[in-house]
Structures are given as structure tokens and as C-alpha cells.
């Protein structure tokens, strides 16, 4: 099914998965609409590009996150995030012994999941913790285990082309299985990203996709162009299906980050002044 574009009461606009909604999983893919940032970062900017000479003040970023969390019913939740490096490292966030809820996570865990750890995916079995990854053209993927008797795990994945050819997705699905959420019980949602029409790559990158069995995602003769293009969303969907995930929501052509500057930031389009969107996911503890 296609993601649903939702305007929340406070003006924040997100995309959400019908499958995850039906399962009661708190989640969202943010847009750039509904925040307080100004200028090239207007308005719901959730992060600054590297080496930006005039970055968005961090106070704006934090206020924007607060607005986003309120919009999706997660104002009370602690966020967990990592420093993304375009790799395939998966970090696991598990409860401390005898400590079930996010408010009791010890200082070491809080530090590890406040940007001090380098990774591109997080798997969590801790209720009420909001996993967060940030994007500006790369593919955000959210996973949740919702089958009966499932381990109640969720995951957030950041996948640029390096992460795709490194198959960070399969590694994350395996990590979900190891904590009690097998692939057949997972729901996946693929968030807005750059479309094939605007993702031109070199021949060497296209060949990497072919070597990884993703030739169907390579467009060899795009209209008006000589270099190959890559359909990242198609590649991610193929990898999810190969990993055994059967229920997948994704987005339509209107959610191309490059071609829709009203809704999305884009690193390839905006370069140094590209803001950041986020994908977020958490689960509530099961009722006793």
C-alpha cells in the first residue's frame, strides 16, 4: 500500500504507513512542513548538513523535534539515534535487567544512542523509545514485528546506495529475527527518497547494484541522459522481499525528495543548505 500524507493538528505534515497504523505502531516519516526554522532550512528541519557555514541553530532543530513528536503522540518518549556513516552496522538497544522502560535506561545506554555510536540501523526491544534516523535523499526504512507472540521489536534503517549494496537491510532483518521477530511477522515501510529519474550514478555504482543482484533497479537509458540511474526504492523493496518480509508499504512518485522542494529537503538538489527529515518508530508495551 502507499504511504498516507497526514496533516496533524499542530501543522506538522508526515507520511505514515497504513500497515503500521493498523498495527498501532507509533511512527512517521517527516516532511519539511510544520516547523520553526527559516531561510533555506524552512521549516521542520531536523538536522544540519556537514560543513555548513551558516547552520540552523540547534535550538530550532530541538523545537522541531518536539513539534514532530507531539504530532505523532510521542511527546513523552526518549529519542535514540546514531551517527550515520553510510555503512551496514546495526546497533541493538535492549532493556537493562529489571528496567523495562526508557526512563530507566542507564547513562551508558543514553550516551550510546545519543549520536555517539556510528551505525546506520537501530533495532530496539525497549518500549517507549523513539528510534530516529535522518535523511535528505537516502532511503528511510521502518520495521516492526507485530505477529502474535512476537518479540515486539522495531527498527529504523538509513540506506543510501552504499548501505543498499552493503545490504544493511538483510542484516537488520536478521537482527530482528534474533530478538524474536522473524521476517514473516514483520511490517516494513519505505519512506520518501530520491527517485530514479533524479538519481544519476556512475557506471561503477551501477555495476555494484548488478553484482548484488539488483540489476532490475538500474535504469540504463534514462530519457535524455547517458549515465545510468538507480531506483533506490525498488532496490530496497527487492532486498526486503528477499529477506522474507512480506508486508511492505512504500510511496508514490509525489514523494521524490529531489523533485518536491515544497515537501522535502534534498542533498542532491540543495547541497550545502539541505536540511534533514527524519523517520521515527517506537512501540508501546503490551497491556498486562
Amino acid at each position: 500500500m502507499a504511504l498516507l500524507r497526514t496533516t496533524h493538528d499542530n501543522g506538522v505534515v508526515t507520511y505514515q504507513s497504513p500497515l503500521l497504523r493498523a498495527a498501532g505502531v507509533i511512527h512517521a516519516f517527516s516532511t519539511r512542513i510544520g516547523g520553526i526554522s527559516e531561510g533555506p532550512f524552512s521549516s521542520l528541519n531536523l538536522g544540519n548538513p556537514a560543513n555548513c557555514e551558516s547552520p540552523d541553530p540547534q535550538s530550532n532543530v530541538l523545537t522541531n523535534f518536539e513539534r514532530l513528536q507531539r504530532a505523532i503522540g510521542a511527546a513523552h518518549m526518549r529519542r535514540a539515534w546514531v551517527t550515520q556513516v553510510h555503512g551496514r552496522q546495526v546497533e541493538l538497544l535492549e532493556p537493562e535487567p529489571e528496567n523495562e522502560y526508557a526512563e530507566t535506561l542507564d547513562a551508558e545506554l543514553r550516551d550510546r544512542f545519543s549520536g555517539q555510536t556510528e551505525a546506520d540501523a537501530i533495532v530496539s526491544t525497549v518500549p517507549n523509545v523513539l528510534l530516529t534516523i535522518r535523511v535528505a535523499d537516502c532511503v528511510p526504512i521502518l520495521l516492526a514485528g507485530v505477529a502474535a507472540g512476537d518479540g515486539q521489536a522495531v527498527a529504523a534503517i538509513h540506506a543510501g546506495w552504499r548501505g543498499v549494496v552493503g545490504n544493511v537491510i538483510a542484516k537488520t532483518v536478521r537482527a530482528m529475527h534474533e530478538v524474536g521477530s522473524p521476517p514473516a511477522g514483520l511490517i516494513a515501510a519505505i519512506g520518501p527518497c530520491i527517485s530514479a529519474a533524479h538519481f544519476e550514478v556512475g557506471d561503477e555504482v551501477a555495476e555494484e547494484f548488478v553484482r548484488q543482484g539488483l540489476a532490475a533497479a538500474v535504469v540504463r537509458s534514462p530519457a535524455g541522459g547517458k549515465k545510468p540511474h538507480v531506483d533506490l526504492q525498488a532496490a530496497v523493496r527487492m532486498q526486503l522481499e528477499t529477506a522474507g518480509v512480506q508486508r511492505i508499504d512504500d510511496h508514490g512518485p509525489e514523494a521524490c525528495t529531489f523533485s518536491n522542494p515544497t515537501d522535502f529537503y534534498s542533498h542532491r538538489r540543495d547541497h550545502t543548505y539541505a536540511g534533514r527529515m527524519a523517520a521515527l518508530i517506537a512501540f508501546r508495551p503490551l497491556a498486562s
Side-chain angles (χ1 to χ4, degrees):
M1 287 185 281
L3 300 180
L4 300 173
R5 190 177 189 274
T6 302
T7 301
H8 301 270
D9 290 343
N10 63 353
V12 168
V13 175
T14 66
Y15 280 80
Q16 295 185 311
S17 156
L19 288 170
L20 290 176
R21 269 191 183 182
V25 179
I26 292 176
H27 74 287
F29 299 100
S30 76
T31 67
R32 66 184 299 169
I33 301 172
I36 66 165
S37 297
E38 299 178 344
F41 298 109
S42 65
S43 70
L44 193 71
N45 178 37
L46 301 173
N48 281 303
N51 304 316
C52 180
E53 293 182 358
S54 301
D56 195 17
Q58 187 63 14
S59 58
N60 287 352
V61 173
L62 293 176
T63 297
N64 288 338
F65 264 116
E66 291 171 359
R67 290 180 61 81
L68 176 58
Q69 288 186 229
R70 283 201 305 274
I72 66 172
H76 63 292
M77 293 186 178
R78 182 189 299 279
R79 283 193 300 114
W81 72 96
V82 291
T83 296
Q84 298 162 198
V85 293
H86 294 274
R88 62 190 302 269
Q89 179 63 29
V90 180
E91 287 292 316
L92 176 61
L93 176 58
E94 295 181 290
E96 289 296 288
E98 302 179 0
N99 289 336
E100 185 180 1
Y101 295 98
E103 289 78 8
T104 60
L105 291 179
D106 66 16
E108 179 183 356
L109 276 178
R110 289 197 299 271
D111 289 343
R112 277 183 58 207
F113 291 96
S114 297
Q116 293 191 15
T117 301
E118 291 187 349
D120 284 274
I122 314 172
V123 172
S124 173
T125 60
V126 182
N128 293 324
V129 171
L130 192 64
L131 304 187
T132 306
I133 57 99
R134 291 187 269 204
V135 291
D137 281 334
C138 293
V139 190
I141 305 107
L142 300 176
L143 298 173
V146 297
D150 181 87
Q152 288 291 292
V154 293
I157 308 169
H158 161 259
W161 75 261
R162 290 180 178 84
V164 173
V165 299
N167 213 342
V168 65
I169 290 166
K171 191 174 181 183
T172 306
V173 171
R174 286 195 298 271
M176 295 280 282
H177 197 173
E178 289 170 1
V179 296
S181 293
L186 296 180
I187 290 173
I190 305 170
C193 64
I194 193 168
S195 66
H198 298 284
F199 192 49
E200 181 182 87
V201 300
D203 289 331
E204 71 285 357
V205 173
E207 287 306 313
E208 281 293 321
F209 279 80
V210 173
R211 279 193 286 271
Q212 297 302 320
L214 300 169
V218 178
V219 183
R220 290 291 184 181
S221 300
K226 295 181 180 179
K227 289 186 177 181
H229 288 216
V230 168
D231 188 335
L232 287 176
Q233 177 176 253
V236 164
R237 190 176 187 100
M238 283 188 278
Q239 289 185 326
L240 286 166
E241 291 171 348
T242 300
V245 181
Q246 301 169 7
R247 291 177 290 172
I248 304 170
D249 282 338
D250 56 23
H251 59 82
E254 79 285 351
C256 167
T257 51
F258 184 97
S259 63
N260 188 346
T262 300
D263 277 10
F264 304 112
Y265 303 106
S266 167
H267 175 74
R268 184 162 285 211
R269 183 191 65 229
D270 302 330
H271 306 293
T272 305
Y273 289 97
R276 294 295 185 266
M277 288 89 63
L280 312 98
I281 190 167
F283 66 88
R284 297 187 182 96
L286 294 174
S288 57

